[in-house]
Short mmCIF file of all heavy atoms in Angstrom, two decimals:
data_model
loop_
_atom_site.label_atom_id
_atom_site.label_comp_id
_atom_site.label_asym_id
_atom_site.label_seq_id
_atom_site.Cartn_x
_atom_site.Cartn_y
_atom_site.Cartn_z
N VAL A 66 -11.60 9.65 17.38
CA VAL A 66 -10.84 8.94 16.35
C VAL A 66 -11.37 7.52 16.18
O VAL A 66 -11.52 7.02 15.05
CB VAL A 66 -9.34 8.91 16.69
CG1 VAL A 66 -8.60 7.95 15.76
CG2 VAL A 66 -8.74 10.30 16.58
N GLY A 67 -11.68 6.87 17.28
CA GLY A 67 -12.18 5.50 17.22
C GLY A 67 -13.45 5.40 16.41
O GLY A 67 -13.61 4.50 15.57
N GLU A 68 -14.39 6.33 16.62
CA GLU A 68 -15.64 6.31 15.88
C GLU A 68 -15.41 6.60 14.40
O GLU A 68 -16.05 6.00 13.53
CB GLU A 68 -16.60 7.35 16.48
CG GLU A 68 -17.09 6.99 17.87
CD GLU A 68 -17.83 8.14 18.54
OE1 GLU A 68 -17.66 9.29 18.09
OE2 GLU A 68 -18.58 7.88 19.49
N LEU A 69 -14.51 7.52 14.11
CA LEU A 69 -14.21 7.85 12.71
C LEU A 69 -13.51 6.69 12.01
O LEU A 69 -13.76 6.42 10.84
CB LEU A 69 -13.34 9.11 12.64
CG LEU A 69 -14.05 10.43 12.99
CD1 LEU A 69 -13.04 11.57 13.05
CD2 LEU A 69 -15.14 10.74 11.97
N ALA A 70 -12.63 6.00 12.74
CA ALA A 70 -11.95 4.84 12.17
C ALA A 70 -12.97 3.75 11.84
O ALA A 70 -12.84 3.04 10.83
CB ALA A 70 -10.89 4.32 13.14
N GLN A 71 -13.98 3.62 12.70
CA GLN A 71 -15.05 2.66 12.43
C GLN A 71 -15.83 3.06 11.17
O GLN A 71 -16.14 2.20 10.32
CB GLN A 71 -16.00 2.56 13.62
CG GLN A 71 -17.10 1.52 13.43
CD GLN A 71 -18.00 1.42 14.64
OE1 GLN A 71 -18.31 2.42 15.29
NE2 GLN A 71 -18.43 0.21 14.96
N ASP A 72 -16.13 4.33 11.03
CA ASP A 72 -16.82 4.81 9.84
C ASP A 72 -16.00 4.54 8.58
O ASP A 72 -16.54 4.12 7.55
CB ASP A 72 -17.10 6.32 9.96
CG ASP A 72 -18.25 6.63 10.90
OD1 ASP A 72 -19.20 5.83 10.96
OD2 ASP A 72 -18.18 7.68 11.58
N LEU A 73 -14.71 4.79 8.68
CA LEU A 73 -13.83 4.56 7.53
C LEU A 73 -13.83 3.09 7.14
O LEU A 73 -13.96 2.74 5.95
CB LEU A 73 -12.41 5.02 7.86
CG LEU A 73 -11.36 4.82 6.77
CD1 LEU A 73 -11.71 5.61 5.51
CD2 LEU A 73 -9.97 5.24 7.28
N ALA A 74 -13.70 2.21 8.13
CA ALA A 74 -13.66 0.77 7.87
C ALA A 74 -14.98 0.28 7.29
O ALA A 74 -15.00 -0.51 6.33
CB ALA A 74 -13.33 0.02 9.16
N LYS A 75 -16.10 0.75 7.83
CA LYS A 75 -17.41 0.33 7.33
C LYS A 75 -17.64 0.82 5.90
O LYS A 75 -18.14 0.08 5.05
CB LYS A 75 -18.52 0.87 8.24
CG LYS A 75 -18.68 0.11 9.55
CD LYS A 75 -19.86 0.65 10.34
CE LYS A 75 -20.08 -0.16 11.62
NZ LYS A 75 -21.22 0.36 12.42
N GLY A 76 -17.28 2.08 5.66
CA GLY A 76 -17.46 2.62 4.32
C GLY A 76 -16.62 1.89 3.30
O GLY A 76 -17.08 1.61 2.18
N LEU A 77 -15.39 1.54 3.68
CA LEU A 77 -14.51 0.78 2.79
C LEU A 77 -15.09 -0.60 2.49
O LEU A 77 -15.09 -1.05 1.33
CB LEU A 77 -13.14 0.64 3.43
CG LEU A 77 -12.06 1.62 2.98
CD1 LEU A 77 -10.93 1.69 3.97
CD2 LEU A 77 -11.54 1.18 1.62
N LEU A 78 -15.57 -1.27 3.51
CA LEU A 78 -16.10 -2.62 3.31
C LEU A 78 -17.34 -2.59 2.42
O LEU A 78 -17.48 -3.41 1.51
CB LEU A 78 -16.44 -3.26 4.66
CG LEU A 78 -16.96 -4.70 4.60
CD1 LEU A 78 -15.93 -5.61 3.94
CD2 LEU A 78 -17.31 -5.20 5.99
N MET A 79 -18.22 -1.61 2.66
CA MET A 79 -19.45 -1.52 1.87
C MET A 79 -19.15 -1.19 0.41
O MET A 79 -19.88 -1.61 -0.50
CB MET A 79 -20.37 -0.45 2.47
CG MET A 79 -20.88 -0.78 3.85
SD MET A 79 -21.94 -2.25 3.88
CE MET A 79 -23.38 -1.64 2.99
N GLY A 80 -18.07 -0.43 0.18
CA GLY A 80 -17.76 -0.02 -1.18
C GLY A 80 -16.55 -0.72 -1.78
O GLY A 80 -16.03 -0.29 -2.81
N ALA A 81 -16.11 -1.82 -1.14
CA ALA A 81 -14.90 -2.51 -1.59
C ALA A 81 -15.05 -3.05 -3.00
O ALA A 81 -16.06 -3.68 -3.34
CB ALA A 81 -14.55 -3.64 -0.62
N ARG A 82 -14.03 -2.82 -3.82
CA ARG A 82 -14.02 -3.32 -5.21
C ARG A 82 -12.79 -4.19 -5.43
O ARG A 82 -11.68 -3.76 -5.15
CB ARG A 82 -14.00 -2.15 -6.19
CG ARG A 82 -15.20 -1.24 -6.07
CD ARG A 82 -15.37 -0.41 -7.31
NE ARG A 82 -16.49 0.49 -7.23
CZ ARG A 82 -17.03 1.10 -8.28
NH1 ARG A 82 -16.53 0.89 -9.48
NH2 ARG A 82 -18.05 1.92 -8.13
N GLY A 83 -13.01 -5.36 -5.94
CA GLY A 83 -11.91 -6.27 -6.25
C GLY A 83 -11.20 -6.78 -5.00
O GLY A 83 -11.50 -6.36 -3.87
N ASN A 84 -10.26 -7.67 -5.20
CA ASN A 84 -9.50 -8.24 -4.08
C ASN A 84 -8.72 -7.16 -3.33
O ASN A 84 -8.64 -7.18 -2.10
CB ASN A 84 -8.53 -9.30 -4.59
CG ASN A 84 -9.25 -10.56 -5.07
OD1 ASN A 84 -10.35 -10.85 -4.61
ND2 ASN A 84 -8.63 -11.28 -5.98
N SER A 85 -8.15 -6.22 -4.09
CA SER A 85 -7.35 -5.18 -3.44
C SER A 85 -8.20 -4.30 -2.55
O SER A 85 -7.77 -3.88 -1.47
CB SER A 85 -6.63 -4.33 -4.49
OG SER A 85 -7.55 -3.77 -5.41
N GLY A 86 -9.42 -4.00 -2.99
CA GLY A 86 -10.32 -3.19 -2.17
C GLY A 86 -10.73 -3.91 -0.90
O GLY A 86 -10.82 -3.31 0.18
N VAL A 87 -10.98 -5.21 -1.02
CA VAL A 87 -11.37 -6.01 0.16
C VAL A 87 -10.22 -6.07 1.16
O VAL A 87 -10.42 -5.90 2.37
CB VAL A 87 -11.80 -7.43 -0.26
CG1 VAL A 87 -12.01 -8.30 0.97
CG2 VAL A 87 -13.07 -7.36 -1.09
N ILE A 88 -9.00 -6.33 0.67
CA ILE A 88 -7.84 -6.40 1.57
C ILE A 88 -7.62 -5.04 2.24
O ILE A 88 -7.34 -4.96 3.44
CB ILE A 88 -6.58 -6.84 0.80
CG1 ILE A 88 -6.73 -8.30 0.36
CG2 ILE A 88 -5.34 -6.69 1.68
CD1 ILE A 88 -5.62 -8.79 -0.53
N LEU A 89 -7.74 -3.96 1.48
CA LEU A 89 -7.59 -2.63 2.07
C LEU A 89 -8.63 -2.39 3.14
O LEU A 89 -8.34 -1.82 4.20
CB LEU A 89 -7.70 -1.57 0.97
CG LEU A 89 -7.46 -0.11 1.39
CD1 LEU A 89 -6.06 0.07 1.98
CD2 LEU A 89 -7.66 0.83 0.21
N SER A 90 -9.86 -2.84 2.91
CA SER A 90 -10.91 -2.67 3.92
C SER A 90 -10.58 -3.44 5.19
O SER A 90 -10.88 -2.97 6.30
CB SER A 90 -12.26 -3.13 3.36
OG SER A 90 -12.36 -4.54 3.30
N GLN A 91 -9.94 -4.60 5.06
CA GLN A 91 -9.58 -5.39 6.24
C GLN A 91 -8.41 -4.76 7.00
O GLN A 91 -8.34 -4.83 8.23
CB GLN A 91 -9.24 -6.82 5.83
CG GLN A 91 -10.44 -7.59 5.28
CD GLN A 91 -11.63 -7.55 6.22
OE1 GLN A 91 -11.58 -8.04 7.34
NE2 GLN A 91 -12.72 -6.94 5.76
N ILE A 92 -7.50 -4.15 6.28
CA ILE A 92 -6.41 -3.41 6.94
C ILE A 92 -6.99 -2.29 7.79
O ILE A 92 -6.61 -2.11 8.95
CB ILE A 92 -5.44 -2.83 5.89
CG1 ILE A 92 -4.63 -3.97 5.23
CG2 ILE A 92 -4.49 -1.82 6.52
CD1 ILE A 92 -3.77 -3.52 4.08
N LEU A 93 -7.95 -1.57 7.22
CA LEU A 93 -8.56 -0.46 7.97
C LEU A 93 -9.50 -0.96 9.07
O LEU A 93 -9.68 -0.28 10.08
CB LEU A 93 -9.30 0.47 7.01
CG LEU A 93 -8.47 1.62 6.40
CD1 LEU A 93 -7.95 2.54 7.49
CD2 LEU A 93 -7.33 1.11 5.56
N ARG A 94 -10.07 -2.14 8.91
CA ARG A 94 -10.88 -2.71 10.00
C ARG A 94 -9.98 -3.04 11.18
O ARG A 94 -10.34 -2.80 12.35
CB ARG A 94 -11.61 -3.98 9.53
CG ARG A 94 -12.60 -4.50 10.59
CD ARG A 94 -13.46 -5.61 10.01
NE ARG A 94 -12.81 -6.90 10.08
CZ ARG A 94 -12.83 -7.70 11.16
NH1 ARG A 94 -13.45 -7.32 12.26
NH2 ARG A 94 -12.24 -8.87 11.14
N GLY A 95 -8.80 -3.58 10.89
CA GLY A 95 -7.84 -3.84 11.96
C GLY A 95 -7.40 -2.56 12.63
O GLY A 95 -7.25 -2.50 13.86
N PHE A 96 -7.19 -1.52 11.84
CA PHE A 96 -6.81 -0.22 12.40
C PHE A 96 -7.89 0.27 13.36
O PHE A 96 -7.59 0.76 14.46
CB PHE A 96 -6.62 0.79 11.27
CG PHE A 96 -5.97 2.07 11.70
CD1 PHE A 96 -4.60 2.26 11.55
CD2 PHE A 96 -6.71 3.10 12.25
CE1 PHE A 96 -3.99 3.44 11.95
CE2 PHE A 96 -6.12 4.29 12.65
CZ PHE A 96 -4.75 4.45 12.51
#
Side-chain angles (χ1 to χ4, degrees):
V66 169
E68 291 170 341
L69 288 173
Q71 183 179 37
D72 284 326
L73 179 61
K75 284 184 176 180
L77 262 161
L78 182 59
M79 295 296 291
R82 299 199 181 196
N84 290 334
S85 56
V87 172
I88 292 174
L89 184 59
S90 75
Q91 294 308 297
I92 290 173
L93 271 299
R94 187 171 84 85
F96 192 96

